[in-house]
């Protein structure tokens, strides 16, 4: 039984007992009492200014090269240190488990 079936069973079970509660303007009164949101123009301008400063510093300090070198270092570490020391049997077992879980997930969606 999947989630849709259990929801349908619950809806059918509770349907005879369903009662509509009259609103009598309750929602309108609650909405009127909520504080109004103020426009925060200064806050938006400060956010834009700080975003521009951050983008400028990223460009001036050659952030793209720093990110590229960091990702290259991580990839080198993964390829040389981690994958070279993995037992092939363990890798096959992990791959089989991932495929089985993925297959079950796909079948449960249908």
């Amino acid at each position: 039984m999947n989630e849709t079936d259990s929801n349908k069973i619950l809806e059918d079970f509770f349907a005879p007992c369903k009662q509509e509660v009259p609103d009598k303007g309750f929602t309108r009164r609650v909405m009127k009492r909520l504080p109004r949101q103020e426009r925060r123009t200064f806050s938006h301008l400060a956010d834009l200014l700080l975003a521009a400063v951050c983008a400028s510093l990223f460009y001036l300090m050659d952030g793209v090269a720093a990110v590229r070198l960091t990702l290259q270092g991580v990839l080198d570490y993964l390829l040389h240190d981690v994958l070279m020391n993995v037992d092939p049997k363990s890798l096959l077992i992990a791959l089989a488990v991932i495929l089985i879980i993925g297959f079950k997930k796909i079948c449960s969606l249908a």
Side-chain angles (χ1 to χ4, degrees), residues 26-75:
F26 174 76
T27 304
R28 184 176 35 80
R29 290 192 307 270
V30 168
M31 293 303 290
K32 279 186 174 182
R33 288 187 176 197
L34 290 175
R36 293 185 183 252
Q37 288 188 347
E38 301 171 10
R39 295 208 296 182
R40 299 182 178 126
T41 307
F42 177 74
S43 175
H44 293 300
L45 290 175
D47 289 344
L48 287 174
L49 179 66
L50 288 174
V53 168
C54 289
S56 300
L57 288 174
F58 186 80
Y59 175 75
L60 291 173
M61 294 184 174
D62 203 15
V64 175
V67 170
R68 186 182 57 79
L69 287 173
T70 302
L71 291 177
Q72 184 179 3
V74 169
L75 187 62

Side-chain angles (χ1 to χ4, degrees), residues 93-109:
I93 292 171
L95 181 63
V97 168
I98 290 172
L99 288 174
I100 290 169
I101 291 172
F103 183 73
K104 283 186 175 183
K105 184 67 176 174
I106 290 172
C107 288
S108 71
L109 294 175

Side-chain angles (χ1 to χ4, degrees), residues 3-20:
E3 188 176 337
T4 307
D5 294 337
S6 61
N7 286 343
K8 179 69 174 140
I9 291 171
L10 286 173
E11 287 175 8
D12 292 343
F13 178 75
F14 287 114
C17 302
K18 185 176 182 179
Q19 295 178 353
E20 292 293 327

